[in-house]
Amino acid sequence: MIVVTATLLFVMLLFAPIYLKAEVYLYIEKLTAEVMVKCGFLRVFNEKISLLGKKLHCEGTVTTDVDLKSIDRKSSVDLLNCVTMEKLFLSVRNNLATLDIKRMMLENTVLSLATATACNLFHCQFFSECIGTTGENCVCARVLVNVSVAELSFCLLKQGVRKWKTRKSGK
């Protein structure tokens, strides 16, 4: 009985979803982005990313420079396959001092159409708004995603096998 209970607890923890909340702030004029990911009350990831020429300068949890030419999409692991998006809230914030009403109306119309289309196509909740602020112009996104430990482990295992096969065939 104890073995069955322990096995059931292990399987439950293996397939239980882990919920992550991500906040992304895009400052288009400065070519920077701020990304913060939380799991409950724990901050998992906090990064400020800026574009400097042909490099991405990352500062925060991981401090590094990434050359955009060196990114190989075919050999990298695609972790987005094991992530399920639950909710997406998109907010376009315009500075009231430099606000053009026609642009704000156009942004609001485009956001409304995109939200309606996304709600019809995907099985998750989408929200959007276009507002005026006293701060900088930016695009904010709040995303709630979940990931299963089993799916993440299988995805990383598949990537490891793929890299092992390419190394073995290269020798």
Side-chain angles (χ1 to χ4, degrees):
M1 189 68 174
I2 294 173
V3 173
V4 172
T5 305
T7 305
L8 286 174
L9 284 173
F10 175 73
V11 169
M12 183 189 74
L13 289 175
L14 188 65
F15 291 105
I18 299 171
Y19 288 95
L20 300 171
K21 293 179 185 176
E23 290 186 17
V24 179
Y25 296 95
L26 297 172
Y27 300 100
I28 297 170
E29 284 117 15
K30 292 196 260 180
L31 297 175
T32 61
E34 295 176 9
V35 181
M36 184 176 64
V37 179
K38 287 184 176 181
C39 182
F41 293 108
L42 297 174
R43 185 177 291 171
V44 178
F45 186 76
N46 191 9
E47 197 74 28
K48 183 176 181 181
I49 303 166
S50 57
L51 183 64
L52 300 174
K54 295 181 182 177
K55 291 188 177 189
L56 289 176
H57 177 68
C58 303
E59 197 175 304
T61 305
V62 179
T63 303
T64 187
D65 289 331
V66 178
D67 188 13
L68 293 175
K69 291 182 180 178
S70 68
I71 297 174
D72 185 15
R73 294 183 55 91
K74 292 184 180 178
S75 70
S76 64
V77 62
D78 192 11
L79 293 177
L80 293 178
N81 289 335
C82 57
V83 173
T84 305
M85 185 168 51
E86 300 270 330
K87 294 180 184 178
L88 172 66
F89 177 74
L90 189 64
S91 174
V92 177
R93 299 179 182 179
N94 295 308
N95 190 343
L96 289 172
T98 61
L99 182 65
D100 182 20
I101 297 298
K102 291 179 184 176
R103 188 180 108 193
M104 188 169 175
M105 287 175 55
L106 179 66
E107 288 175 353
N108 205 357
T109 305
V110 169
L111 276 176
S112 298
L113 291 173
T115 302
T117 305
C119 285
N120 288 330
L121 292 177
F122 302 109
H123 184 65
C124 68
Q125 298 175 358
F126 285 87
F127 308 96
S128 65
E129 69 179 0
C130 184
I131 60 173
T133 64
T134 57
E136 296 182 64
N137 295 339
C138 71
V139 177
C140 304
R142 290 190 180 96
V143 183
L144 176 66
V145 298
N146 70 36
V147 61
S148 172
V149 176
E151 284 180 311
L152 185 62
S153 300
F154 180 71
C155 185
L156 291 173
L157 181 67
K158 186 170 70 171
Q159 177 65 24
V161 169
R162 188 181 311 146
K163 284 194 175 202
W164 177 72
K165 283 183 179 180
T166 56
R167 281 189 202 152
K168 189 174 179 181
S169 65
K171 288 183 179 180

